[in-house]
Structure formats: C-alpha cells, structure tokens
Amino acid sequence: MADPMRIRAQLMGDKVDVRVLMAHEMETGQRKDAAGKVVPAWFIQSVNATCNGKTVLSAQWGPSISKNPTLAFRFSGAKVGDKVVVTWVDNRGEKRADEVAITAAS
Amino acid sequence: MNRRDALKASGGTVVMALAASAGLIKPEFADAQEWNKNAFDGKSLNEVVKAMGGATATESKDVSFVNAPDIAENGAVVPIGATSKIPKTESISILVEKNPSALSATFSIPDGTEPTVSTRVKMGQTSNIYALVKADGKYFYAVKEVKVTLGGCGG
C-alpha cells in the first residue's frame, strides 16, 4: 500500500479550497537505470475527488506529472465537517483512498 | 468460443466505444473508467484534440494560466495552473508540446467546481505549454512558453 496522501480542505467563503499532496514515484518510462535498462513507467492514471458522495473533480494523468504530485482546486456546495475523499489508481492497478473533513479557514 | 460469439463480443465493445465517443454515455462516467490512451499518445495539440473527439481548438483570451513560471529552473517540477472563464467548461487539460507525449493531465470539471486547477508537471526542455479547455463541446486553448534550464525527462 502506498503512503497516505496529505489533503487539506478549507472552507473559504462559500467555496472549499482543496489541496492534495500524493506520494508517488511517477516514473515516466523514459529513464534508464545504471545498467542501461529502461525503468518501466509507473504513474497515477486517474484521480477522483468526491464530497458527500458527489464527484467534485476527476482527472486523467499521464507520466509527465511530477513525482509526488500536487493538486489544487475549489468547489462549492459543502460545509464545515463534510468529508472530502480523494482516490487515485496507478497504471499497475494500485489504489489509494484518503479522506479529510472540511475545516473552517483560520 | 466460436466465430459467431467472438464477432458478437467484439461488436459489443465497438458499439460501446462509439457510444462513448458520440457522447451517449455520460462523460463523467467514461472519464472515471477509461484512461484515454490515444489522447495521451498524441504528440501535438491537434492530435490530442482529435483523440478527445474534437475537431480543432481555437485560441481564447478567456483561458489563462495561473502561477506558471516564465523560466523553470528545474524541469522535473514545474508548477502549472490553468483557469477558464468560458461558461459550461467541462474539462481542462494541460499539454507540454515538446514532451514525448504532449498531454500531461485532463481534469473533468463537474457543476459546482471552479474551472481552475493547478498541479506540477515535468518538462524535458524549453517548450510551449497549452491549457486546453473543453466548453459546451468546443475546444479553446491558451499558450505560453516556459523556458527550462534543467531538463526533467531522461537522465
């Protein structure tokens, strides 16, 4: 199981500001190791964020997203205490889901 | 499986694919399920737009970048954000023209989500980056050159 994501969801006015930091190698499949062999591609292919069961963002990623990817977006229609769930699936079929409660902006 | 069954089975998948490309299946559903390999294999803006089912993209002032640098010191981590002011924005994609595959990411924007996303991408070399927006079935883009002083692909 991959390392957990770090997620922050803050209510700012009527919008929720979500920031996600994922732990993933994001290998491009272009790089060669010391022995000259190509390191196979290994990257997150799809990301999905839901709040109260409703999708608030879904994404398809290629291998050119940076290692340990970040993601930031905003959505409306949620309140403090609601849960935001972020899941990702990589090209090896590995999955990770993490959730966080929306907090008020400090 | 005999020949007849095999034909039926393959016919079924073709119908599914056609239905998805024709927009009969809700895009939210298709996006969550299928990784659009053709789009990620595209080498240029036009190829990617075609792979996504569009014809051409037009440049628009309503699409812009947020916090994208003019010069990136490290091509492995280039922050790129894109925003759209076009009504009915359905998706935002980020492309790096001179990467081995142009398309970096596609974000589907459901109702209630601001058409603004930001992430970090790798860039092999100095290149144009595109923010491609799909709104109401049409494609719009903004372009910006980002200079890279140290490449992020290969090694």
Side-chain angles (χ1 to χ4, degrees):
Chain A
M1 195 75 179
D3 289 332
M5 283 176 254
R6 285 164 61 186
I7 310 172
R8 196 191 70 188
Q10 267 188 338
L11 190 68
M12 292 176 170
D14 61 343
K15 296 230 159 100
V16 182
D17 183 66
V18 185
R19 278 160 200 276
V20 190
L21 176 63
M22 304 168 196
H24 202 281
E25 208 51 50
M26 298 302 280
E27 194 60 61
T28 58
Q30 310 272 339
R31 214 164 57 88
K32 291 189 175 119
D33 65 11
K37 282 193 190 141
V38 172
V39 182
W42 179 31
F43 57 96
I44 295 175
Q45 279 191 315
S46 67
V47 180
N48 205 36
T50 59
C51 181
N52 299 335
K54 179 181 173 284
T55 299
V56 290
L57 189 80
S58 59
Q60 294 184 2
W61 283 0
S64 59
I65 295 289
S66 298
K67 180 176 174 174
N68 297 336
T70 62
L71 170 64
F73 65 97
R74 286 178 172 208
F75 69 94
S76 52
K79 56 185 189 300
V80 170
D82 286 352
K83 294 272 196 305
V84 173
V85 182
V86 181
T87 54
W88 58 250
V89 183
D90 69 18
N91 66 328
R92 292 184 187 173
E94 264 183 66
K95 287 175 193 179
R96 173 89 214 176
D98 285 291
E99 69 167 37
V100 71
I102 297 170
T103 57
S106 48
Chain B
M1 185 191 275
N2 62 28
R3 185 164 164 269
R4 188 161 298 223
D5 285 345
L7 278 173
K8 258 187 215 157
S10 66
T13 26
V14 170
V15 169
M16 281 294 287
L18 284 174
S21 62
L24 295 175
I25 295 172
K26 287 197 168 169
E28 300 90 80
F29 177 74
D31 281 347
Q33 301 299 316
E34 291 290 331
W35 192 68
N36 191 341
K37 190 176 180 303
N38 288 341
F40 280 97
D41 281 343
K43 305 283 180 217
S44 68
L45 182 70
N46 277 340
E47 280 183 33
V48 171
V49 170
K50 287 213 173 74
M52 287 176 173
T56 51
T58 40
E59 192 161 4
S60 167
K61 288 203 165 60
D62 291 329
V63 182
S64 53
F65 291 100
V66 284
N67 72 34
D70 294 327
I71 297 175
E73 278 182 19
N74 183 357
V77 186
V78 185
I80 305 279
T83 185
S84 158
K85 290 188 202 133
I86 302 169
K88 293 192 193 169
T89 294
E90 293 161 36
S91 75
I92 299 180
S93 305
I94 294 169
L95 290 83
V96 182
E97 190 175 39
K98 286 190 184 159
N99 272 2
S101 306
L103 184 61
S104 277
T106 300
F107 299 91
S108 305
I109 315 285
D111 283 347
T113 299
E114 253 184 44
T116 303
V117 287
S118 49
T119 185
R120 300 188 299 204
V121 302
K122 295 173 205 160
M123 291 180 67
Q125 55 183 304
T126 298
S127 165
N128 282 337
I129 55 173
Y130 295 97
L132 177 66
V133 168
K134 185 186 180 194
D136 205 10
K138 295 195 181 72
Y139 290 84
F140 303 93
Y141 71 91
V143 61
K144 176 187 169 81
E145 191 191 39
V146 176
K147 288 195 163 64
V148 175
T149 46
L150 184 67
C153 296

